[in-house]
Amino acid sequence: MNRPAPGAVRRASARGLPFGGLRTRLIAAFVLVAVGSAGTATALAYRDARTAVLTRAQNTAANDFRARLGEVAGQFDLPADRAALDRFAAEVARRLPGAPAVEAVYGDLTAASDADADRTRITQDLRQAVRSGGRLRFQRVEHAGEPYLVVGTPVTYTEDGRPSGLDAYMITSLRAEQEDTGALLVSVRDGLLPVVAVAALLALVAARTVLRPVRELSRATRGLADGTLSSRAPVRGRDELASLARTFNETADALQATDAELREQESRARQFAADVSHELRTPLAAMTMVVTVLDEEADAGTLPADAEQAARTVSAETAKLTRLVDDLMEISRFDAGAAVLHTADTDLTGAVRAALALRGWADRVTLLTPERPVGVVCDRRRVDVIVANLVGNALRHGARPVEVAVAEHGPWAVVRVRDRGPGLPPEALAHVFDRFWKADTARVRSKGLDGSGLGLAIARENAHLHGGTLEAAGAAGGGAEFTLRLPLRPEPGARGGAGGGR
């Protein structure tokens, strides 16, 4: 069963985490909500407290001023002169708390309890409101950076409430109240820091609670993507995350069951092919003996012409069938992991030369070898199979001259087989090592010499068994080129390492 390359999902999931993660967003959201809530509550509380403090101060000052005026005005005679007006202002201010400044206005005369007091703190608007309104008025003003409360009221006759023409104003400082509300603001501001700290702590706890199952699910997903089909996510609780983990596990169960079924089917198919191939060997052996006799009689000319042609056809097809069965059994051994390497120190140049000589190809192939032998630890029989397949294909399907070059490049022993045939089109390169794939349109078939379609697949499996590679490419100047790379010294534990099985 095909699976994605290990690490593919891990690499994808590792992107873009540092500051955009869910944990950071949760903490930021908690802190923002906490700061916003605390800030709003603080602002409302500060406003109400400040209003209450100032209102109380205003009411107290106004009541005290009104009461003091009542006490002093009863003893004040009108019309008044400047001296009487000074005494009136001083007497009113004398018993008022907070040592306020008092100003008395009667007609064009103006007197103040404090001759140095800045009377500009009494605005014209307030004076006009007192003069025209006929009742007590007050106003908060700021002068030279200091807050003040200015209260003004007309003095009326007691018996009928008529205006007497005398207006009185009191200027008192609100600094104490301002300091009280400022202290309240500082206390509330200092209280925000613990609120933010607690919000961040709660955010961390919430993030851990939420992100833990997410991380576990992510870890299980990566394991599944890497091919560990037994990977599962723990299910805790009954919330949405638990439901998601449960769904993931059910999906993984289904995937694992399907994978097991496919593996079982694949195993049965391989076993079937191996069994059929094995069972065919006995009748094929008998057929081979028969066709050998027929070949000998045909060669001796004792058979009629038609019988001779039939005997040679049967002989050729029997040979092809025998080769197909042998290849199927070899592929079955690779699939079953039963292919075994028998390695030894080998002169690769000599092995290639022997393979060509054994098949009578020495005169048909140009062998290019280095000056010194290329020593490699390999299974000579399997290397012979690879070379025979590559050179045989080049001779059958390519065109001369066919070159076989042996060389040593770094840690690799390299064998290149090149022909001058039509070559392989780019779309064929991806399939040239597929089983039973034949380049009908690209390669020139030689009648009666078709292979089994498994030769290149077996050759590549043999290369991989050594820890090497087998690649196909178009040769420069036309033709096809196959490159076999074998490690000079296979690493221990490599696939099909020296002296070991697959």
Side-chain angles (χ1 to χ4, degrees), residues 198-278:
V198 171
L201 181 61
L202 291 176
L204 284 174
V205 174
R208 178 180 176 81
T209 304
V210 173
L211 294 182
R212 183 180 178 186
V214 173
R215 285 197 299 269
E216 293 172 341
L217 185 59
S218 176
R219 187 163 43 246
T221 304
R222 286 198 302 270
L224 198 65
D226 288 343
T228 307
L229 299 184
S230 60
S231 178
R232 298 291 185 275
V235 180
R236 297 186 179 89
R238 298 180 178 179
D239 56 10
E240 289 79 1
L241 290 174
S243 176
L244 179 61
R246 194 176 297 108
T247 302
F248 171 82
N249 291 340
E250 292 172 356
T251 304
D253 289 341
L255 182 61
Q256 189 174 23
T258 303
D259 178 75
E261 183 179 355
L262 290 176
R263 287 177 180 276
E264 179 63 23
Q265 293 177 357
E266 187 179 7
S267 177
R268 287 198 299 267
R270 286 200 302 265
Q271 186 61 42
F272 176 77
D275 292 343
V276 169
S277 302
H278 181 75

Side-chain angles (χ1 to χ4, degrees), residues 47-387:
R47 187 194 63 180
D48 293 344
R50 182 174 180 273
T51 301
V53 169
L54 293 177
T55 301
R56 185 172 60 250
Q58 290 170 178
N59 293 338
T60 301
N63 291 334
D64 290 345
F65 185 50
R66 184 184 293 111
R68 186 58 185 162
L69 279 177
E71 293 174 1
V72 177
Q75 303 172 7
F76 187 70
D77 295 329
L78 294 175
D81 56 12
R82 176 61 181 267
L85 204 59
D86 287 340
R87 288 194 302 274
F88 176 79
E91 186 63 21
V92 172
R94 187 168 62 85
R95 293 187 180 181
L96 287 176
V102 174
E103 180 183 291
V105 178
Y106 183 74
D108 297 333
L109 298 177
T110 299
S113 60
D114 183 357
D116 298 330
D118 186 354
R119 299 176 187 176
T120 61
R121 289 174 289 183
I122 305 174
T123 65
Q124 291 300 321
D125 292 340
L126 180 62
R127 292 180 187 275
Q128 182 64 32
V130 169
R131 193 174 300 118
S132 60
R135 59 187 180 88
L136 185 142
R137 304 280 183 174
F138 61 85
Q139 186 178 43
R140 289 198 297 271
V141 298
E142 185 170 325
H143 182 75
E146 293 290 333
Y148 293 95
L149 174 66
V150 181
V151 181
T153 181
V155 178
T156 59
Y157 291 103
T158 306
E159 59 274 14
D160 54 9
R162 287 182 296 109
S164 64
L166 175 64
D167 296 334
Y169 297 92
M170 181 187 69
I171 305 171
T172 184
S173 174
L174 290 177
R175 185 170 187 176
E177 285 75 13
Q178 186 186 44
E179 291 176 352
D180 290 343
T181 55
L184 175 62
L185 182 61
V186 171
S187 299
V188 173
R189 184 192 61 195
D190 294 343
L192 281 177
L193 295 178
V195 170
V196 172
V198 171
L201 181 61
L202 291 176
L204 284 174
V205 174
R208 178 180 176 81
T209 304
V210 173
L211 294 182
R212 183 180 178 186
V214 173
R215 285 197 299 269
E216 293 172 341
L217 185 59
S218 176
R219 187 163 43 246
T221 304
R222 286 198 302 270
L224 198 65
D226 288 343
T228 307
L229 299 184
S230 60
S231 178
R232 298 291 185 275
V235 180
R236 297 186 179 89
R238 298 180 178 179
D239 56 10
E240 289 79 1
L241 290 174
S243 176
L244 179 61
R246 194 176 297 108
T247 302
F248 171 82
N249 291 340
E250 292 172 356
T251 304
D253 289 341
L255 182 61
Q256 189 174 23
T258 303
D259 178 75
E261 183 179 355
L262 290 176
R263 287 177 180 276
E264 179 63 23
Q265 293 177 357
E266 187 179 7
S267 177
R268 287 198 299 267
R270 286 200 302 265
Q271 186 61 42
F272 176 77
D275 292 343
V276 169
S277 302
H278 181 75
E279 293 300 325
L280 285 175
R281 297 196 67 170
T282 300
L284 275 175
M287 292 172 63
T288 301
M289 287 189 294
V290 172
V291 297
T292 300
V293 173
L294 292 175
D295 282 341
E296 290 176 351
E297 292 186 358
D299 292 341
T302 58
L303 294 176
D306 293 344
E308 179 182 344
Q309 182 178 1
R312 294 195 184 281
T313 301
V314 171
S315 176
E317 294 301 324
T318 301
K320 288 171 57 179
L321 184 58
T322 301
R323 187 163 57 250
L324 175 60
V325 170
D326 290 342
D327 288 347
L328 283 174
M329 294 191 66
E330 184 71 358
I331 283 290
S332 299
R333 282 191 284 271
F334 282 117
D335 290 342
V340 177
L341 277 180
H342 299 283
T343 58
D345 290 333
T346 304
D347 174 14
L348 185 60
T349 303
V352 172
R353 184 178 287 110
L356 299 178
L358 178 65
R359 292 165 180 81
W361 295 338
D363 297 334
R364 302 170 61 187
V365 174
T366 301
L367 179 60
L368 306 176
T369 59
E371 295 181 355
R372 63 177 185 177
V374 178
V376 61
V377 177
C378 67
D379 186 328
R380 182 162 181 157
R381 184 187 70 82
R382 295 189 180 279
V383 172
D384 178 81
V385 171
I386 299 173
V387 172

